[in-house]
Amino acid sequence: MQNNQRHEQRNQVNFGGRGGRGRFIREKPKDKKGTLRRVIKYLGKSKNLIMLLFAILIIITIVGLFSPIIQSRVLNSVDEGKASNFRMLLTVLAGCYLISVICSLIRGLTSAYITRRTVLALRKDLFEKLVYLPIK
């Protein structure tokens, strides 16, 4: 009996501080591989968008790594007093930040679209199953 209570306490998450208010039991999936397969099946409908999302993430990462290098060159050109080099590097830096902002916007919109589409498909399938359940 005591072992069972310890097991239940380990599976509980406590929100609300003292007194145990807000306590609930975490449910673990019984079939983790099957659940993962079903989620991948729902996401598979958006495979092209997910590939676009990964490409955009790579672009954002490359631009994010490249920007500090350009910043250091801009600062060095200020120290050396080369105005033409400064303007060109500043333009390149502004272009990097513009590309980063545009890619971040596309990433956010694409992620939201994939999420909305996946949740809509899940809700539709769940509703179809609920409609055919027997009423007791």
Side-chain angles (χ1 to χ4, degrees), residues 11-24:
N11 286 330
Q12 291 181 352
V13 177
N14 188 6
F15 293 106
R18 297 175 75 175
R21 290 170 283 149
R23 212 174 243 215
F24 65 92

Side-chain angles (χ1 to χ4, degrees), residues 29-51:
K30 295 176 183 172
D31 183 19
K32 291 180 185 178
K33 289 182 182 179
T35 304
L36 188 60
R37 283 186 197 128
R38 281 188 281 162
V39 170
I40 289 173
K41 184 182 97 174
Y42 281 107
L43 288 173
K45 296 173 184 175
S46 304
K47 188 186 336 183
N48 293 334
L49 289 174
I50 292 173
M51 297 303 282

Side-chain angles (χ1 to χ4, degrees), residues 124-135:
K124 181 181 173 188
D125 288 349
L126 180 64
F127 181 74
E128 287 176 3
K129 287 185 180 184
L130 286 174
V131 166
Y132 291 110
L133 283 177
I135 299 176

Side-chain angles (χ1 to χ4, degrees), residues 102-115:
I102 291 171
C103 286
S104 294
L105 176 69
I106 293 171
R107 183 197 67 194
L109 293 174
T110 306
S111 298
Y113 180 75
I114 291 170
T115 304

Side-chain angles (χ1 to χ4, degrees), residues 71-111:
Q71 285 177 354
S72 67
R73 290 185 181 174
V74 167
L75 293 175
N76 289 339
S77 70
V78 169
D79 287 342
E80 295 170 1
K82 297 179 182 177
S84 64
N85 196 18
F86 174 75
R87 287 186 186 132
M88 191 257 323
L89 288 172
L90 203 58
T91 305
V92 171
L93 185 63
C96 284
Y97 284 129
L98 184 65
I99 290 170
S100 179
V101 167
I102 291 171
C103 286
S104 294
L105 176 69
I106 293 171
R107 183 197 67 194
L109 293 174
T110 306
S111 298

